[in-house]
Amino acid sequence: LFVMFGTAEAHHSNPLKIAISRFKREGGRFVSVNPVRTGYSAIADEWLPVRPGTDGLLALAMVHVLLANELFDWEYLVRYTNAPWLVVQTPGQPGDGLFLRDAEGNPQVWDQASGSFASGMAGDVAPALFGEFTAADGRPVKTVMSLVAERYLDPRYAPAAVAGQCGIEAETIERIAREMAHVAFQETILSAAEWTD
């Protein structure tokens, strides 16, 4: 599955066009999110004609679906992102919204194994992905993932609430989000290409 959100098609090179063609010939499904059905949208397996300027809202409605159904990779978020890092929660005070850091400047996480704060850069900890804690100096902190969930599980990001604004039916938003999760977590995808970084 390849979902492409609005693109300046004149800026893409022929290798992307060739890659999409090969992808589709090999059974891949191409979904294009774009107000107009030209270029890439014209050859997409499914075109989502989003209202101009609301593609971000559509993406956040998809995030809502993924969060509400716990369709995300816990291990990946803990190991490779800042999702477990702790954010200071002191509205109106200096430092609010910043990462909690130790004396060396390392972002802090709550290590579930030791039941204490630890460096988010350490590889030998079991960071909590969700939670609220109190720092040693008394400041309340929450994990990044807790803040993400609080914001995007809000009913205003539910597909039914967003559909009228972005012009995409709620059922379609839900279906595409679930399809993305299915491909990501239920299908094995192998690429014969040599890894390059």
Side-chain angles (χ1 to χ4, degrees):
L1 177 65
F2 175 44
V3 180
M4 176 185 276
F5 276 76
T7 182
E9 298 181 27
H11 297 174
H12 287 300
S13 61
N14 284 332
L16 178 60
K17 295 170 186 170
I18 293 167
I20 290 173
S21 173
R22 185 179 316 124
F23 173 76
K24 287 183 58 149
R25 279 196 315 271
E26 293 175 359
R29 190 166 123 66
F30 173 35
V31 178
S32 178
V33 179
N34 202 322
V36 295
R37 190 166 198 177
T38 59
Y40 294 118
S41 294
I43 63 162
D45 297 300
E46 184 171 3
W47 170 52
L48 303 183
V50 67
R51 283 203 178 96
T54 65
D55 49 342
L57 184 59
L58 172 62
L60 293 175
M62 291 178 179
V63 168
H64 179 94
V65 171
L66 298 174
L67 287 170
N69 295 283
E70 294 188 24
L71 297 172
F72 49 86
D73 188 337
W74 292 71
E75 184 179 332
Y76 181 87
L77 290 171
V78 166
R79 186 169 182 185
Y80 297 109
T81 74
N82 69 0
W85 291 9
L86 296 168
V87 180
V88 176
Q89 301 295 292
T90 54
Q93 297 177 27
D96 178 50
L98 299 180
F99 291 125
L100 179 66
R101 296 184 180 273
D102 63 16
E104 288 78 41
N106 295 309
Q108 298 292 284
V109 297
W110 181 258
D111 180 21
Q112 298 175 97
S114 67
S116 63
F117 294 99
S119 170
M121 305 309 286
D124 59 347
V125 295
L129 192 54
F130 291 95
E132 299 180 35
F133 309 95
T134 302
D137 61 10
R139 291 182 295 172
V141 295
K142 292 182 183 180
T143 66
V144 168
M145 195 65 181
S146 293
L147 295 170
V148 167
E150 285 175 14
R151 176 167 292 177
Y152 300 115
L153 283 175
D154 186 296
R156 67 184 170 157
Y157 292 107
V162 167
Q165 297 173 65
C166 68
I168 306 297
E169 293 181 359
E171 297 78 16
T172 300
I173 296 170
E174 175 101 16
R175 180 177 50 79
I176 295 294
R178 287 180 174 278
E179 186 176 352
M180 288 170 31
H182 176 82
V183 170
F185 304 125
Q186 304 300 318
E187 295 185 17
T188 301
I189 301 169
L190 300 174
S191 176
E194 183 178 336
W195 175 258
T196 58
D197 192 356

